[in-house]
Amino acid sequence: MIRKYVFGEPIDTGAVVADQPAEKDPIPYFEVLAEEEQIRLRLRMDPDEVVFGLGESVRGINKRGHRYRSWNSDVFNHTEERDSLYASHNLLVFFRPDRLFGIYVDDPGAITWDLGYTQMDLAEILLENGAASVWLIEEPGLREIAAAFRSLTGRSYLAPRWAFGYIQSRWGYASEAEVRKVAEEHRKRHIPLDGICMDIDYMQDYRNFTWNREAFPDLPRTVREMKQDHIHLIPIIDAGIPVREDDETYVSGKEKDVFCKKADGSDFVAAVWPGRCVFPDFLRKETRAWFGERYRELLEAGMEGFWNDMNEPALFYSDESLQEAFEKVRALQGENLGLEGTGQLKDAVNAMANNPEDYRRFYHRFNGRTVRHDRVHNLFGASMTRATAEGLRAYAPDRRFLLFSRSSFIGAHRDGGIWQGDNFSWWSHLRLALQMLPNLNLCGFLYCGCDLGGFGCNTTEDLLERFLQLGVFMPLMRNHSALHTREQEIYRFSIWPMMRDTVSVRYALLPYLYSEYMKAALGNGMLFRPLAFDYPEDRRAVGTEDQVMWGEGCMIAPVLTQNAAGRYVYLPEDMLMIRFRSASDYDLIPLEKGDHYVELPLGAFPLFVKKNHAVLLSRGGEHTDEVDEEHFILLGQVTEDTEYALYRDDGVGVSPILAEHLTRIPIPPQENRSERFCPRPGRN
Ligand code: MIG
């Protein structure tokens, strides 16, 4: 059951697709405190109450015990202390043995979630805008809550099948020669590859919808030839448009009057990569139509995937904050700077970037009203993604494209995927990546992944290998790293054959992963789930923070620490462990419910399969087009007649109907492993 409660005058964010009338009674469970311009919802939590949700945020799967803030931010350092990352996913699920409900707060402004930080047994949701539509979701189980939330907010994005291949990315590929080299080095060594991301370096002067014509003399040809080799080029697009009379996007945007304005009616200007920029008012339909149309040249060049960046929006400085910084610095000139003065000097400069004041300096025209940016801040990135998605749909209504964004908001899960942003090459961030996945899925973001190997800092061979082992299970399997960090392509490392074998497992699992993904997306399910979703009565499972469910019948438990030769795993029921070393080299070890120490030397990683479920393993391939979808090895311990519903389609169609694409594969009782030919429907 879903009920709606209205506080103040909420803004329609477009996140909800199944609106309903608001209740007249007060919201249950919560004490409501109206304070000046804000509203506080307060809830007492039991000692054993668990809280899931908040999608992209730091800390554990259980969000309890700290404070978070929905305020989309460009943050380079994902420490435990961070209250905000790039996205706002305002859904919480409170779970204890005698009470279960979800609360979804639909408002695009700042929201603080104090989940036992100030006081251990108190949860407080502070609506800083003083308005929101609040949805209470009550269902008998956790999975039903997730499904109900999705029916409220719409079907998750369907990525094309090739987007489940391995993607290599790096900030710094600046020419056709470099991109081709990346492709060659993979192909030469038979390291599977389906895509290469092009970061801002491909652009001319960091300007959207341009490319450096010297470095990429014939981009359409490059794209075409790479595609013949089954490799997609995926360019980045940023939120800011440089203020330059020689920039076509700027000129046409000026003509159409699409940029965000200050109170005096002039364009709001702030710097990002290309220097001073203006920002499209993506909240307006007309702006989105204009922006979506700007992709045409790249689309005509053959591009089929894009990633959107800096769309919180990130601001290096505005004209105003730069001026203030200079003034503050000048005021300190000639002073004898001690501790305090030096601090002031540094603060003066640091305060330029992503300054809260700057987010109050510009306005949107939204649903016929003028709205100050901070009021709708968290909707900006999602609206950019929507502009792209609408543009892609207008260009090719029958085709799926790859699209993923850095910033997001609930609702954007219908338009694209996300990556987790600028993580570091830290073991703790491997753990963080794992812990974010189930909460992202809960919030509807099924197509997601982290920068494998870590974005900032220098990776190590073993860290990248362990990241890849987790990446095998992520829909977006992308190795990405920052400029000036250690080069991180698989072929740079002495253990590249081991890494190649790890990626090969992904390709062997591809038909199963794709099937599980599509069934989750079309059926309002989750690919990754906290263990609690499958074993709500098992307190051990409910408290597990370093293992997650994957697909209908599996669990993953990656190695998350350096120099480990294995790890402890808790099995909530009897399972078959598949210990992979490659697509063709694995052990099958039945394990009983309970605790196990599992040996997992570098290069080995496990997948646990529930009883009476089977995982399909294909032969794999070097790209997704090469993966055989008919011949499988079935791995699982099956004691009674069962079946697997395998989803297959053409990989690009836009409105697949689940039932039409399922092949029911009967699985008679078997010992661990059997071979099967499953012809595609409609073929002899
Ligand atoms: O301020 O385009 O998160 O993936 O490589 C850095 C350069 C801007 C941030 C993205 C990252 C990307 C980088 N971008």
Side-chain angles (χ1 to χ4, degrees), residues 232-266:
H232 284 79
L233 296 189
I234 307 156
I236 195 171
I237 299 292
D238 280 7
I241 308 296
V243 179
R244 281 172 66 147
E245 293 305 331
D246 64 346
D247 184 79
E248 267 182 56
T249 305
Y250 176 71
V251 172
S252 77
K254 273 306 266 185
E255 242 168 59
K256 290 235 155 68
D257 194 22
V258 296
F259 301 123
C260 293
K261 300 267 185 296
K262 292 195 289 195
D264 67 3
S266 64

Side-chain angles (χ1 to χ4, degrees), residues 58-164:
V58 297
R59 295 182 169 258
I61 298 176
N62 179 355
K63 304 318 288 185
R64 192 170 169 170
H66 219 266
R67 188 172 52 178
Y68 313 84
R69 186 161 182 258
S70 292
W71 182 259
N72 296 353
S73 307
D74 173 16
V75 278
F76 189 59
N77 197 346
H78 305 174
T79 58
E80 288 188 21
E81 223 14 61
R82 282 284 169 210
D83 47 6
S84 306
L85 292 179
Y86 315 84
S88 295
H89 301 148
N90 299 336
L91 170 71
L92 287 182
V93 176
F94 289 91
F95 170 56
R96 66 188 201 201
D98 62 330
R99 186 177 78 186
L100 169 65
F101 69 90
I103 178 170
Y104 166 50
V105 181
D106 189 15
D107 181 72
I111 298 170
T112 301
W113 314 82
D114 182 334
L115 304 176
Y117 170 79
T118 305
Q119 192 179 314
M120 285 196 75
D121 65 344
L122 270 193
E124 283 198 345
I125 304 171
L126 182 67
L127 312 178
E128 299 187 29
N129 270 342
S133 296
V134 175
W135 298 80
L136 205 71
I137 307 170
E138 288 178 284
E139 297 291 338
L142 286 158
R143 297 177 72 156
E144 287 93 333
I145 289 195
F149 177 64
R150 208 79 59 71
S151 60
L152 179 68
T153 55
R155 188 182 88 181
S156 293
Y157 160 75
L158 304 178
R161 186 170 172 274
W162 66 265
F164 292 82

Side-chain angles (χ1 to χ4, degrees), residues 198-215:
M198 297 165 72
D199 208 320
I200 48 174
D201 324 86
Y202 80 88
M203 297 182 192
Q204 182 67 47
D205 309 315
Y206 303 135
R207 291 188 284 129
N208 277 345
F209 311 117
T210 68
W211 63 84
N212 181 328
R213 306 259 164 176
E214 263 168 54

